[in-house]
Amino acid sequence: MDRRDPFRHNVLTSGHRACSGCGEAMAARMVSDLIGPDAIYINATGCLQVFTTHNQQSAWQAPWIHSVFANAAAVASGVEAALRAQRKKTPVVVQAGDGGTFDIGLQCLSGMIERGHDVLFVCYDNEAYMNTGVQRSSSTPHAVHTTTSPPGRVSQGKRHLKKDLISIIAAHNMPYAATATIAYFPDLKAKVEKAMGITGPRFLHLLSPCPLGWAHDSALSVSVSRLAVETGLFPLVELEHGELTGVMRLAEQKPVEAYLRPQGRFKHLFDSKEGGVELRHLQALADARIRRYGLLETDTQWDTHSAMQSARHGRGGYASPMSTVEALNSDA
Amino acid sequence: MKRLLEGSQAVAEAVRLCRPQVVAAYPITPQTHIIERLAQHVADGELKAEFINAESEFGAASIVLGAVVGGARAFTATASQGLLLMTEVLYNIAGLRLPLVMVCANRAVGAPINIFSDHQDSMSVRDAGWIQLYVESNQEAADTLIQAYRIAEACELPVMVCMDGFLLTHTFEPVDLPAQVAVDNFLPPFHFSRTLDPARPMTLGGASEVDNYQEYRVAQHEALENASALIEAFDAEFGEQFARTCGGLVQGYCLDGAQTVLLGMGSLMGAVRDVVDKLRARGEAVGALRLRCFRPFPASALVRLLSGVQRIIVLEKAISIGAGGIVAAELRAALQQAGTPVEGVVGGLGGRDLTPDVIEKIFQEVTPDEGGNTLRFASTHVSPDSKKEVDNG
């Protein structure tokens, strides 16, 4: 039995307690098998920690630690410093969800990158606090239905834009930052391998569908991941020292509706006039990302400009014209 | 050879002698002189350690947590707001049973914001599962720091060395720093039984639920209680090697025949001993007891030392708002069977001086009251409105 043989022994073994179709479980298995068991894994609090460790059981075949929610990057900084002091070369890998990366963990992550620790930070982004019951995070796309951003009579889900984290990370001028998904394994593999060949802070942002929180069929996790890329909502990019050095181009752009329709978290947008405004805005956001990263040979056919100009009045990403919101409020 | 050292310098030199491999900290007054000196030692190559400038105290505590599980001896220091910002990680470090040493340069907690010394910060995290040792002098700060690593690594428990901000950290005293070889003899090289290592994969910090969480907590409590014996033993062993001790768990002064004993923690006890000398010279049967180890709470040692005493006054520099003195309450519980009255006095908050005059007034004026448990406040200010205040006019 060679635990180093990924064909027989995964670093994240079967028998854990993830939901069927869990995008994060698939992503974590892929990433950890690509890195292998000769690394130290630091996990933030979240689904991955909960479903892989339970009452003295563990699904990890590599050294692994969980401390608290916000501090995974700082713990990794300390582990890496200890290894450096002992002249050991063991790779250090952080795994965190979007809450542990975009929100509560961002300060420690920024510190880790700024200090140049030789750590790979992997964010499995399922765009909400799934472990606690699908609450909104700063990674949740605008207009999404979560339990703390429910659509109602006067609002259409989350009122603010998804935080542009990869740009924030890249602004640290760090060696390597990239986005990837489970739907494009060769791309993911190339990025993990590239990241592991670089010294210094590295960041991988993996979109990881959550059938429970996104309310899609659990068989569709890979398809939904692919559609996020094909619509331009989740561009696959690489940034080195703050500069864009790689994008996965699209043969054609699919309308965002193809991505949104299978997901219950966007269902309310298809039921009302106000929802239609949000759909146009989500399309505009996809268009803007396609333009920004040059994902198409030709310019997008969609009307980027008008939807991006919708009256936000400093309210972040919520696209409903203020007049609509005010009219609904005055009814009440 | 004795050198004139600020408390911060003394403790930083002691840290250097313990050869930590990772030092992480975030600046906060009055702790900064400690890490500044360590940073200089690292810059000069006199301390071979990774010096990590954390992005917050929460980060600093997390970095040293990581350093220990990565197999390195580590050090951090903080105070006040910084200690409270670390709170979540402090509990985690203790729950993970990590051998870690930190210095808390004791400072008041806001609001109102105040940089001066009292014990509110460390007392507020007394339930986190750390051993807490309160030092009286710069010499003791240095010596206790060295003992702290020995204790932490033998028990796999974290130790907080609590030293009064400014009163010790910024005050110069003659300090005898041990030789490196002597410290190396006293403190074995760092070893942690659960170091993260791919050759021996281990899962740390996994989830525990209803069926075993309580057992972990009980084990943690027992480990802390069992540490008492080692805290005393290592102080005695330190004494054999260095010809001075730090007071074990509790340190009595003039307890023979004492009818009234004043109990306190930290640097104020020097003044208390002076007052005891003065009152003894006048024929008053008074004594003093310094609580060096607050966690684990040395209840049985206190009961033993205080048997036969008629009146105990606890003078403490922290308050459980809405309840009163913290040490006084715990001592009352310990002395429940003996039934000795324990008078609680809170004072010295936010750096207010507890002068010999104030302490003498406390000895003279604090008498058992009808209902018991009345909280009094020591003050250098005249406050005609408050009959409960003990002032020195």
Side-chain angles (χ1 to χ4, degrees), chain A residues 55-301:
Chain A
N55 279 1
Q56 300 166 340
Q57 298 174 337
S58 174
W60 296 100
Q61 305 301 304
W64 182 96
I65 184 172
H66 157 253
S67 174
V68 299
F69 199 172
N71 71 353
V75 172
S77 301
V79 169
E80 184 260 1
L83 295 173
R84 195 152 22 103
Q86 298 169 86
R87 311 213 181 290
K88 290 184 183 170
K89 299 269 184 206
T90 314
V92 180
V93 180
V94 177
Q95 303 183 98
D98 48 292
T101 307
F102 286 64
D103 286 347
I104 200 168
L106 185 58
Q107 180 172 319
C108 286
L109 171 57
S110 179
M112 183 199 92
I113 298 172
E114 183 268 332
R115 292 187 301 264
H117 291 281
D118 186 21
V119 175
L120 171 64
F121 190 109
V122 185
C123 169
Y124 303 115
D125 177 11
N126 56 24
E127 301 193 323
Y129 291 90
M130 301 315 187
N131 185 46
T132 46
V134 198
Q135 291 86 20
R136 163 228 199 267
S137 79
S138 67
S139 172
T140 307
H142 99 274
V144 163
H145 176 180
T146 71
T147 53
T148 51
S149 64
R153 212 165 62 84
V154 296
S155 68
Q156 295 295 324
K158 189 191 174 192
R159 301 187 74 94
H160 310 100
L161 287 178
K162 180 183 174 84
K163 189 184 280 183
D164 182 7
L165 189 73
I166 196 75
S167 298
I168 295 168
I169 297 296
H172 289 76
N173 294 326
M174 55 174 329
Y176 188 67
T179 59
T181 83
I182 53 172
Y184 296 88
F185 181 71
D187 174 75
L188 170 63
K189 181 170 184 279
K191 286 169 177 169
V192 172
E193 285 171 353
K194 184 168 183 175
M196 294 309 288
I198 294 171
T199 303
R202 293 142 285 150
F203 181 83
L204 282 180
H205 179 185
L206 271 68
L207 189 69
S208 307
C210 170
L212 183 78
W214 293 15
H216 62 69
D217 190 299
S218 61
L220 295 182
S221 295
V222 174
S223 312
V224 165
S225 301
R226 182 172 291 112
L227 284 164
V229 176
E230 289 174 335
T231 53
L233 279 169
F234 192 77
L236 298 184
V237 301
E238 291 178 288
L239 297 116
E240 295 174 60
H241 300 287
E243 298 295 324
L244 188 68
T245 55
V247 297
M248 179 185 277
R249 292 203 163 204
L250 304 177
E252 56 165 2
Q253 181 187 11
K254 291 194 173 166
V256 292
E257 193 175 334
Y259 172 69
L260 308 179
R261 276 281 183 192
Q263 302 182 52
R265 61 178 177 155
F266 295 107
K267 183 169 173 285
H268 57 291
L269 303 182
F270 296 97
D271 298 340
S272 66
K273 186 161 64 76
E274 293 75 25
V277 175
E278 304 311 325
L279 287 175
R280 286 196 297 284
H281 189 209
L282 282 161
Q283 184 60 61
L285 289 169
D287 297 348
R289 283 169 203 166
I290 283 173
R291 277 189 169 170
R292 175 174 174 189
Y293 292 110
L295 302 184
L296 286 175
E297 292 292 342
T298 55
D299 201 3
T300 166
Q301 61 183 298

Side-chain angles (χ1 to χ4, degrees), chain B residues 217-238:
Chain B
R217 298 292 280 170
V218 170
Q220 204 183 335
H221 174 68
E222 287 172 351
L224 212 69
E225 288 206 314
N226 294 339
S228 294
L230 279 179
I231 293 166
E232 283 193 297
F234 289 143
D235 192 36
E237 189 185 322
F238 189 90

Side-chain angles (χ1 to χ4, degrees), chain B residues 282-346:
Chain B
R282 292 206 307 239
E284 295 180 33
V286 297
L289 194 57
R290 180 169 78 90
L291 188 56
R292 179 204 184 212
C293 176
F294 177 63
R295 282 290 181 272
F297 191 70
S300 53
L302 288 166
V303 169
R304 193 176 64 245
L305 286 165
L306 292 168
S307 71
V309 173
Q310 288 167 14
R311 183 175 65 128
I312 300 159
I313 302 166
V314 175
L315 174 56
E316 54 190 311
K317 292 164 60 166
I319 180 169
S320 175
I321 302 288
I326 299 159
V327 179
E330 296 196 3
L331 188 60
R332 275 185 203 114
L335 292 169
Q336 195 182 19
Q337 282 206 308
T340 320
V342 175
E343 310 306 322
V345 182
V346 166

